[in-house]
C-alpha cells in the first residue's frame, strides 16, 4: 500500500459541503482507505480575484492502486461533483479540485501526472494542511516539509473548522 496525499479545494456550491462530501467519496475508492484528514482552511483564490474564496484540505490515503488508476478515480469524483475542465481557465472557480500531492517517495513526470505536485511547496493552502497531518514528512528530494511550512506566508489563510 502506498501513502498518498491529496489536496482538496472548492469555491462553488457550498464549498465546505463539497469538500466534506469529497472526503467521504475518497474513502469509497476501491483498494483505498482514508488514513488522516486536515482541518478545513479558507484561502484567497489564485489567479483571478473575481471569484469566491476557497475551502481547502489535505487527506492522507493508503492505496494499492497505480498512480494513473488513482488519478482516474479522482477525476471521476470531480466529474460526479460537477467539475468542468475548461481549457484556458486554469485558475477559475470550481466545484471541486482534487490534486495528487505525493505518492510515497515517487517522482512522476508524465503527460497526465506530475508528482510531487509542482506547486505544493509554494501554496500555503496546500502546505499548511499537509504539515498539519504529516509534520515530519520528508519530501522525495530529501527536504523536510517543515522547512517550507515554517517559512511560507499565510496570505490570509484561516482555519474554518478543526479536525
Amino acid at each position: 500500500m502506498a501513502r498518498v496525499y491529496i489536496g482538496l479545494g472548492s469555491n462553488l456550491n457550498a464549498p465546505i459541503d463539497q469538500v466534506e462530501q469529497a472526503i467521504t467519496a475518497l474513502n469509497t475508492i476501491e483498494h483505498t482507505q482514508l488514513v488522516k484528514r486536515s482541518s478545513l482552511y479558507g484561502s484567497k483564490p489564485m489567479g483571478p480575484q473575481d471569484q469566491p474564496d476557497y475551502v481547502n484540505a489535505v487527506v492522507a490515503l493508503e492505496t494499492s492502486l497505480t498512480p494513473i488508476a488513482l488519478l482516474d478515480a479522482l477525476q471521476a469524483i470531480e466529474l460526479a461533483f460537477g467539475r468542468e475542465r475548461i481549457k484556458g481557465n486554469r485558475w477559475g472557480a470550481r466545484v471541486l479540485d482534487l490534486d495528487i500531492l505525493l505518492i510515497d517517495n515517487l517522482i512522476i513526470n508524465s503527460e497526465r501526472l506530475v508528482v510531487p505536485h509542482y506547486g505544493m511547496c509554494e501554496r500555503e493552502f496546500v502546505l499548511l494542511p499537509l504539515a498539519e497531518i504529516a509534520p515530519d514528512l520528508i519530501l522525495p528530494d530529501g527536504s523536510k516539509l517543515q522547512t517550507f511550512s515554517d517559512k511560507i506566508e499565510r496570505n490570509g489563510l484561516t482555519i474554518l473548522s478543526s479536525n
Side-chain angles (χ1 to χ4, degrees):
M1 298 285 272
R3 174 66 59 105
V4 180
Y5 294 95
I6 307 293
L8 299 92
S10 174
N11 71 340
L12 295 176
N13 302 348
I16 289 175
D17 293 340
Q18 297 291 344
V19 171
E20 289 289 355
Q21 291 170 22
I23 291 170
T24 300
L26 290 172
N27 205 31
T28 67
I29 297 173
E30 194 172 272
H31 308 293
T32 301
Q33 179 179 352
L34 180 70
V35 177
K36 219 170 193 181
R37 60 166 288 177
S38 73
S39 301
L40 298 182
Y41 289 76
S43 67
K44 300 292 179 201
M46 286 185 68
Q49 297 297 300
D50 62 341
Q51 58 180 311
D53 288 350
Y54 274 81
V55 173
N56 298 97
V58 171
V59 299
L61 305 174
E62 295 282 339
T63 187
S64 59
L65 295 177
T66 66
I68 294 299
L70 178 62
L71 178 63
D72 289 341
L74 296 180
Q75 289 179 344
I77 291 170
E78 288 177 335
L79 188 62
F81 275 68
R83 168 81 186 259
E84 294 179 30
R85 294 187 183 277
I86 302 167
K87 219 172 189 122
N89 192 22
R90 184 179 187 108
W91 308 114
R94 56 198 61 184
V95 173
L96 182 63
D97 188 27
L98 300 173
D99 290 326
I100 298 174
L101 304 174
L102 295 163
I103 302 174
D104 283 337
N105 282 319
L106 292 180
I107 296 174
I108 301 169
N109 194 354
S110 72
E111 190 174 310
R112 287 195 62 208
L113 182 61
V114 174
V115 175
H117 189 278
Y118 63 92
M120 66 177 253
C121 290
E122 300 155 4
R123 298 175 180 172
E124 71 282 353
F125 55 86
V126 173
L127 207 50
L128 295 173
L130 179 58
E132 177 189 331
I133 64 172
D136 300 323
L137 187 67
I138 305 296
L139 301 176
D141 67 0
S143 60
K144 294 180 180 180
L145 178 72
Q146 189 170 10
T147 300
F148 296 99
S149 64
D150 285 350
K151 294 178 182 175
I152 197 155
E153 294 288 326
R154 291 197 172 264
N155 296 321
L157 188 74
T158 58
I159 295 177
L160 301 175
S161 67
S162 297
N163 190 36

